[in-house]
């Protein structure tokens, strides 16, 4: 039993200030500290098992009161028969004698106390759900009680002397808070427990807190910043975090998800006013600005500050922000911006992103005139790279100079394999050429990079309002490449070199491989010429199976686009 004897780290610490709100009561032969929620309801309960300082320690009582303030009925029994260890025990205090007794504090002496308290809670006290909370010495006994008919879930902080067999025997969820410096539950023990819990298959969570020592959740010096943070995380007193999870999720979506896409790299614009102020002649030199309207919206209109509230909120909300927003980089140099964005947010955030939009792999021309004081100059693509500035400034990592940033972005996306949809965005005031597609595909090696993303569900070419393209050429070209084509309201369709008209409503032209993807399995479901012996309702089949085209009549007939397939016998 020597391995169960508490060490010095189990009895040293700081006494906290406060006034206990609960009451002492005897349950059988055991003195117990009880703390009730405001409504007095005992159905949701917590059994709090203390460290060796015991249930009369003010620090433990304040923790019990805090749990009660969050709506739980808290029961904290005396585990030591009135023989707890004094805080910061004197040097002459004999821990071996204390442990072996009398009265003795080995598991065979403590477990009967816990069993009797649980029996009382399940019976006369009316507790329906009981969670166990254990610190240090008490952590071992929480783990021992994580089984059917005992505790429904457990939380332990800096546990001591918990054997691997105890963890293997649990049948209920467990959460563990560990200290960076802990001779009783160090890295080796922690990693061993992780392996055991993985094998057991019960839900578990382990949080490791840097800069703190064994005992931080109960006896830490709260004047030390790291200690205060770690203790507050383990004794969360937030009304928001007491809300049901589905309500918190709805709040996160309202605060962090935008109904339209977020363009973090819009096209540059002429900043004529600044050009004249700076003494620059707009007819010979240009001062261009990238107005980050969506970035301003994210910073000022969306409640992204909630992500920095605490670790729990960050874990719950960050995935919603990254997964449910569509991020775009539609301006010239969009691949450069996308690459920097992916590098900045890191692998944790990248795993949530399923859709990105970026400039297409095509030659682009800025086709329309922009009003100017004089000269009537026709802008073209060379001006897109001149003297442009972001406003406000983007804060992204610096990256090395490269010729083809899209290849670097492809490498990251191909390695992660989380992206599901890639959208090529043609912004307002731009037209693209079919020749440009071929040029990028061959000369720039774009096609090879895109082939590395063969895990994508779809690629979509998006024509924004006030962009321009040739109707037939683009539908044919997108189809050949297996891309879907989305034509938004206000896009200009060019049927001849001089004639164009605006689209009055949005059109979507899916690629052939996507249009009837839900029917891809039909050939396997109803193979031609294969007989079956029994109908669904019984009886034998005398004739050959009906042709697939006839069977599809029950689903509304053969889609027009698939008629050639059936005529050719595919």
């Amino acid at each position: 039993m020597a391995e169960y004897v508490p060490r010095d780290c189990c009895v040293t610490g700081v006494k906290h200030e406060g006034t206990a709100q609960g009451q002492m009561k005897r349950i059988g032969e055991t003195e117990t500290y009880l703390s009730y929620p405001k409504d007095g309801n005992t159905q949701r309960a917590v059994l709090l098992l203390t460290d060796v300082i015991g249930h009369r320690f003010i620090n433990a009582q304040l923790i019990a009161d805090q749990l009660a303030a969050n709506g739980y009925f808290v029961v904290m029994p005396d585990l030591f028969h009135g023989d707890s260890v004094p805080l910061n025990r004197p040097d002459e205090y004999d821990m071996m004698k204390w442990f072996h007794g009398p009265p003795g504090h080995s598991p065979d002496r403590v477990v009967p106390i816990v069993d009797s308290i649980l029996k009382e809670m399940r019976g006369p006290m009316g507790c329906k759900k009981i969670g166990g909370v254990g610190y240090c010495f008490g952590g071992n006994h929480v783990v021992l009680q994580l089984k059917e008919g005992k505790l429904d879930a457990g939380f332990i902080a800096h546990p001591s002397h918990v054997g691997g067999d105890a963890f293997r025997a649990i049948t209920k969820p467990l959460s563990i808070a560990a200290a960076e410096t802990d001779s009783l539950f160090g890295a080796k023990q922690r990693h061993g427990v992780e392996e055991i819990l993985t094998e057991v298959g019960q839900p578990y969570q382990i949080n490791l807190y840097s800069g703190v020592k064994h005992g931080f959740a109960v006896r830490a010096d709260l004047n030390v910043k790291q200690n205060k943070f770690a203790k507050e995380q383990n004794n969360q007193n937030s009304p928001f975090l007491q809300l049901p999870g589905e309500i918190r999720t709805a709040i996160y979506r309202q605060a962090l998800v935008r109904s339209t896409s977020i363009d973090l790299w819009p096209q540059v614009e002429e900043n004529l006013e600044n050009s004249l102020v700076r003494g620059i002649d707009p007819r010979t030199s240009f001062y261009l600005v990238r107005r980050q309207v969506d970035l301003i919206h994210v910073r000022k209109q969306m409640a992204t500050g909630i992500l920095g509230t605490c670790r729990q909120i960050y874990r719950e909300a960050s995935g919603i922000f990254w997964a449910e927003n569509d991020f775009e980089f539609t301006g010239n140099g969009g691949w450069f911006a996308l690459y920097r964005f992916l590098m900045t947010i890191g692998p944790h955030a990248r795993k949530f992103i399923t859709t990105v939009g970026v400039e297409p792999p095509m030659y682009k021309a800025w086709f329309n005139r922009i009003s100017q004081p004089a000269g009537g100059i026709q802008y073209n693509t060379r001006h897109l790279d001149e003297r442009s500035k972001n406003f406000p400034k983007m804060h992204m990592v610096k990256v090395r100079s490269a010729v083809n940033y899209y290849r670097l972005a492809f490498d990251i996306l191909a390695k992660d394999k989380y992206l599901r949809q890639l959208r090529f965005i043609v912004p307002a005031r731009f037209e693209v050429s079919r020749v440009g597609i071929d040029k990028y595909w061959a000369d720039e090696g774009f096609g090879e990079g895109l082939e590395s993303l063969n895990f994508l569900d779809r690629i979509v070419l998006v024509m924004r309002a006030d962009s321009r393209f040739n109707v037939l050429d683009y539908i044919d070209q997108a189809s050949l490449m297996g891309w879907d084509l989305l034509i938004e309201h206000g896009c200009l369709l060019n049927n001849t070199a001089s004639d164009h008209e605006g689209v009055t409503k949005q059109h979507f032209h899916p690629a052939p491989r996507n249009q009837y993807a839900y029917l891809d399995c039909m050939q396997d479901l109803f193979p031609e010429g294969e007989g079956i012996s029994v109908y669904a309702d019984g009886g034998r089949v005398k004739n050959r199976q009906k042709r697939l085209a006839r069977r599809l009549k029950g689903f509304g007939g053969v889609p027009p686009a698939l008629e050639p397939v059936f005529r050719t016998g595919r």
Side-chain angles (χ1 to χ4, degrees):
M1 291 292 183
E3 66 273 16
Y4 289 100
V5 177
R7 301 181 186 176
D8 287 344
C9 61
C10 301
V11 297
T12 57
V14 176
K15 181 179 179 180
H16 299 159
E17 295 181 358
T19 303
Q21 303 297 318
Q23 57 185 264
M24 289 293 183
K25 182 179 179 181
R26 296 200 73 84
I27 299 178
E29 297 181 358
T30 304
E31 185 178 69
T32 306
Y33 182 83
L34 303 178
S35 191
Y36 289 84
K38 287 183 178 180
D39 60 5
N41 194 315
T42 62
Q43 292 187 4
R44 295 197 310 163
V46 170
L47 175 62
L48 198 159
L49 304 181
T50 68
D51 58 17
V52 295
I53 312 300
H55 71 299
R56 285 188 169 271
F57 186 32
I58 184 63
N59 296 17
Q61 293 176 353
L62 293 176
I63 293 174
D65 292 343
Q66 192 172 46
L67 290 169
N70 289 330
Y72 298 97
F73 170 51
V74 184
V75 178
M76 184 169 62
D78 174 15
L79 303 177
F80 309 107
H81 305 279
D83 183 35
S84 59
V85 179
L87 179 67
N88 300 320
R89 65 177 176 84
D91 294 338
E92 62 272 16
Y93 195 92
D94 190 341
M95 291 299 296
M96 290 291 291
K97 182 179 179 181
W98 172 86
F99 183 77
H100 292 292
H105 309 295
S106 59
D108 60 324
R109 293 285 291 160
V110 177
V111 170
I113 297 175
V114 179
D115 286 341
S116 65
I117 296 297
L118 275 172
K119 183 177 180 181
E120 192 75 13
M121 293 176 71
R122 292 286 185 189
M125 289 185 174
C127 304
K128 299 201 171 175
K129 289 289 184 181
I130 305 176
V133 174
Y135 299 99
C136 190
F137 183 94
N140 177 38
H141 292 280
V142 166
V143 175
L144 292 174
Q145 298 291 337
L146 283 176
K147 55 188 67 174
E148 204 64 42
K150 301 290 186 176
L151 295 176
D152 296 301
F155 166 79
I156 59 178
H158 41 82
S160 63
H161 307 303
V162 188
D165 291 340
F167 285 108
R168 287 189 181 91
I170 69 170
T171 60
K172 298 295 181 179
L174 175 64
S175 177
I176 303 174
E180 181 182 32
T181 304
D182 193 338
S183 61
L184 295 172
F185 195 69
K188 183 178 179 180
Q189 295 94 328
R190 189 172 65 251
H191 295 158
V193 169
E194 289 177 8
E195 294 178 2
I196 292 173
L197 293 176
T198 301
E199 295 172 3
V200 168
Q202 286 295 322
Y204 75 93
Q205 173 182 335
I206 299 179
N207 290 333
L208 177 65
Y209 295 94
S210 64
V212 297
K213 300 179 181 180
H214 182 89
F216 71 89
V218 181
R219 296 171 267 110
D221 182 357
L222 299 184
N223 292 319
V224 179
K225 181 179 178 181
Q226 292 92 334
N227 291 341
K228 183 178 180 181
F229 171 79
K231 177 176 171 57
E232 288 176 348
Q233 290 296 300
N234 285 283
N235 300 291
Q236 191 63 253
N237 187 23
S238 167
F240 177 76
L241 292 175
Q242 301 307 311
L243 293 173
E246 58 270 20
I247 294 179
R248 294 203 304 272
T249 299
I251 292 174
Y252 296 146
R253 286 200 171 99
Q254 185 69 24
L256 298 173
V257 179
R258 192 182 184 191
S259 58
T260 57
S261 59
I262 299 173
D263 193 347
L264 297 177
W265 196 259
Q267 196 51 256
V268 294
E269 301 176 7
E270 178 195 16
N271 195 9
L272 188 58
E273 180 179 352
N274 272 350
S275 298
L276 294 176
V277 169
R278 291 169 179 264
I280 300 173
D281 185 350
R283 292 170 297 178
T284 59
S285 186
F286 300 87
Y287 184 79
L288 302 174
V289 65
R290 196 181 308 278
R291 300 187 187 279
Q292 299 281 7
V293 177
D294 288 0
L295 178 62
I296 294 174
H297 178 86
V298 171
R299 290 178 176 176
K300 296 187 176 182
Q301 302 299 320
M302 297 173 68
T304 51
I306 195 175
L307 297 174
T309 305
C310 69
R311 292 184 183 183
Q312 180 177 345
I313 290 178
Y314 176 80
R315 287 194 298 266
E316 294 177 348
S318 60
I320 293 175
F321 174 75
W322 295 115
E324 300 190 19
N325 283 304
D326 291 339
F327 297 95
E328 294 182 351
F329 307 85
T330 62
N332 199 55
W335 288 97
F336 165 70
L338 174 59
Y339 172 61
R340 292 180 64 193
F341 173 76
L342 296 174
M343 292 290 290
T344 301
I345 65 176
H348 174 74
R350 291 202 303 264
K351 71 181 180 181
F352 294 105
I353 294 180
T354 58
T355 302
V356 295
V358 69
E359 62 170 337
M362 307 170 187
Y363 171 81
K364 302 182 297 299
W366 198 341
F367 68 81
N368 65 325
R369 295 177 181 272
I370 299 177
S371 61
Q372 302 173 55
I377 297 174
Q378 181 72 39
Y379 279 31
N380 56 44
T381 55
R382 73 181 180 87
H383 303 129
L384 299 180
D385 298 318
E386 290 188 3
R387 308 179 66 177
S388 62
K389 278 194 172 184
N390 290 327
F391 180 78
K393 185 178 180 180
M394 292 278 286
H395 299 290
M396 294 197 292
V397 297
K398 302 293 184 182
V399 296
R400 68 183 187 274
S401 177
V403 176
N404 294 329
Y405 286 103
Y406 60 80
R407 294 302 301 269
L408 299 175
F410 279 149
D411 289 344
I412 294 177
L413 296 173
K415 181 179 179 181
D416 291 343
K417 287 185 169 57
Y418 296 120
L419 193 68
R420 307 317 310 161
Q421 183 178 136
L422 180 63
R423 296 160 67 91
F424 292 133
I425 312 294
V426 180
R429 300 181 295 166
F430 276 80
E431 64 180 357
V432 294
S433 84
R434 176 175 179 171
V435 175
I437 298 178
D438 298 334
K439 175 181 182 298
Y440 269 79
W441 218 257
D443 299 345
E444 305 292 335
F446 194 93
E448 181 181 348
L450 194 58
E451 287 176 2
S452 66
L453 306 185
N454 54 11
F455 53 87
L456 292 176
D457 291 340
R458 62 176 55 199
I459 299 174
V460 185
L461 177 62
V462 181
M463 304 298 301
R464 287 281 159 82
D466 204 26
S467 63
R468 188 169 69 183
F469 79 121
N470 181 292
V471 183
L472 297 179
D473 280 356
Y474 276 38
I475 294 179
D476 293 344
Q477 189 73 6
S479 296
L480 287 173
M481 293 185 174
W483 300 355
D484 299 336
L485 178 61
L486 177 62
I487 306 172
E488 295 188 352
H489 171 73
C491 175
L492 302 175
L493 307 182
N494 291 267
N495 295 313
T496 67
S498 58
D499 182 33
H500 61 270
E501 59 181 349
V503 176
T504 57
K505 64 179 181 178
Q506 181 170 288
H507 295 271
F508 181 68
H509 299 273
R513 66 180 180 85
N514 290 329
Q515 189 171 10
Y516 297 102
Y518 63 95
L519 293 177
D520 286 348
C521 63
M522 280 296 184
Q523 296 288 354
D524 295 328
L525 187 61
F526 302 114
E528 294 291 347
E530 180 179 328
I532 57 177
S533 60
V534 181
Y535 279 125
D537 57 353
R540 299 188 64 82
V541 177
K542 297 181 180 180
N543 299 324
R544 288 168 56 86
Q545 180 182 348
K546 297 179 182 179
R547 291 185 60 82
L548 176 58
R550 295 177 61 190
R551 286 184 172 275
L552 286 176
K553 286 183 179 179
F555 296 92
V558 178
L562 291 185
E563 287 181 354
V565 175
F566 290 103
R567 284 199 298 269
T568 57
R570 286 182 54 193

